[in-house]
Amino acid sequence: MLASVAVIYGTNFGAIKYLDEANVDVSIVTAIRFALASLALCPFLYKAPWPVVLRGIEVGVWVSVGYIAQAIGLQTTQASKSAFICSLAVVVVPIVNAIIYKKKAPPTTWLASLLAVAGVGLLTLEGKGNPPCIGDLWSLGQPIGFGIAFVRTEQCMQANKGEALAMTASQMAAVLACSMLWVSFTLTSNTPDLSVLYEPVNLAALFYTGVITSGVAVVAESVALAHISAEETTVILSTEPLWAALFGSVILGETMSGFGYLGGAVILLGCLVTQLKLPKTLEKLLKPWGEGGEEAGED
């Protein structure tokens, strides 16, 4: 299920980037997208348990950080680069668990962090010594928002395994509220011209990003988090940038330099490292970084 979600999420970057060409304020497009997602899922809020709804709202706020950063970043950076940066959630999740919830972070997490930082440097600088573009910097909000959301969703879904639809519905409603707040800060006194969004291709892109890549995909993700950990989830979803690069190339004609692809490969290597057992010498070298917390004394 999560492997399929990774493909869907990968196509989302290209679809959002395509909608940017409509020249409609990105905050309005984002609000419409999540209005469609909320409309599709709102029936599942009927008689939903309040603890699940409240947790969904909290998760929705964190998800909003990721989605808004993604939408702003995609205005000036490539869909493929944005997706590779988003995959850093695989490092954010164990770090959040270690710092906030005092769970022991294995040595592989810290090695993965170093690889991820190096990969982002190669990806954004592309070997030219130039600073990252503003879109690259905005894109860093994705792994933070989504990473925290993964942790909180796991905690809720493990205790409420049959409430994925209610969880996602309240989450999408919260994202819609945050998007509308964003619109209120960006909208000028002039009435925006939304007629271009009525074109069939743009309507299809809005429906796809709202109902499929937001509603359906997040429901599937929530169902999965009822059975596996947030760490495992982010590792499986780390294939997402490969699909984003493929669809970005096919749909948008995007290309990256050799350094860009190398950076993406290093990020994915960091994701893979989190699931590998390190040689004992390297593990001893990194072990002090993983100590601390209530589980630090366990093997």
Side-chain angles (χ1 to χ4, degrees):
M1 183 185 293
L2 279 176
S4 299
V5 169
V7 177
I8 295 173
Y9 280 162
T11 64
N12 181 66
F13 292 88
I16 296 295
K17 186 73 173 177
Y18 179 84
L19 284 169
D20 283 343
E21 303 300 320
N23 292 320
V24 176
D25 191 282
V26 64
S27 63
I28 297 175
V29 172
T30 303
I32 295 173
R33 171 189 176 184
F34 289 104
L36 290 170
S38 298
L39 183 64
L41 292 167
C42 66
F44 300 106
L45 286 174
Y46 182 64
K47 291 187 177 180
W50 268 109
V52 174
V53 172
L54 292 176
R55 179 61 63 86
I57 292 172
E58 179 206 340
V59 169
V61 173
W62 287 114
V63 167
S64 297
V65 173
Y67 277 129
I68 291 174
Q70 179 186 96
I72 296 175
L74 281 168
Q75 290 183 293
T76 52
T77 193
Q78 294 182 338
S80 50
K81 289 175 69 175
S82 177
F84 275 114
I85 294 171
C86 185
S87 69
L88 290 174
V90 77
V91 178
V92 170
V93 166
I95 291 176
V96 168
N97 276 329
I99 295 175
I100 298 180
Y101 298 106
K102 307 303 181 184
K103 291 184 179 180
K104 180 182 177 181
T108 50
T109 297
W110 306 111
L111 178 58
S113 300
L114 293 174
L115 288 169
V117 171
V120 170
L122 287 168
L123 183 69
T124 56
L125 302 180
E126 296 189 338
K128 301 172 184 176
N130 297 323
C133 73
I134 189 65
D136 296 335
L137 297 178
W138 272 106
S139 296
L140 288 171
Q142 296 176 99
I144 296 172
F146 294 145
I148 296 174
F150 281 131
V151 173
R152 299 296 283 163
T153 300
E154 177 199 348
Q155 293 171 345
C156 179
M157 293 310 303
Q158 296 281 347
N160 302 275
K161 294 183 183 296
E163 300 295 341
L165 288 168
M167 174 71 175
T168 307
S170 54
Q171 181 179 328
M172 292 296 103
V175 179
L176 173 60
C178 292
S179 301
M180 293 300 295
L181 182 63
W182 181 23
V183 169
S184 71
F185 282 105
T186 59
L187 196 61
T188 63
S189 57
N190 298 323
T191 303
D193 181 12
L194 303 181
S195 60
V196 68
L197 295 179
Y198 302 152
E199 296 177 5
V201 176
N202 288 332
L203 280 176
L206 280 171
F207 177 85
Y208 182 74
T209 58
V211 177
I212 305 301
T213 67
S214 299
V216 174
V218 176
V219 168
E221 178 188 292
S222 298
V223 170
L225 281 164
H227 303 281
I228 64 176
S229 70
E231 286 92 342
E232 292 171 304
T233 298
T234 53
V235 169
I236 295 172
L237 292 181
S238 65
T239 59
E240 175 187 311
L242 302 178
W243 298 107
L246 174 61
F247 284 97
S249 174
V250 173
I251 297 173
L252 304 172
E254 291 185 347
T255 59
M256 289 195 300
S257 70
F259 276 95
Y261 284 113
L262 177 60
V266 172
I267 291 174
L268 292 181
L269 177 61
C271 297
L272 178 63
V273 161
T274 64
Q275 297 303 296
L276 299 178
K277 185 172 180 61
L278 296 177
K280 290 186 177 181
T281 303
L282 185 56
E283 189 169 339
K284 288 180 180 179
L285 181 65
L286 293 170
K287 189 174 182 180
W289 293 93
E291 293 178 346
E294 57 191 31
E295 298 179 21
E298 300 177 4
D299 291 330

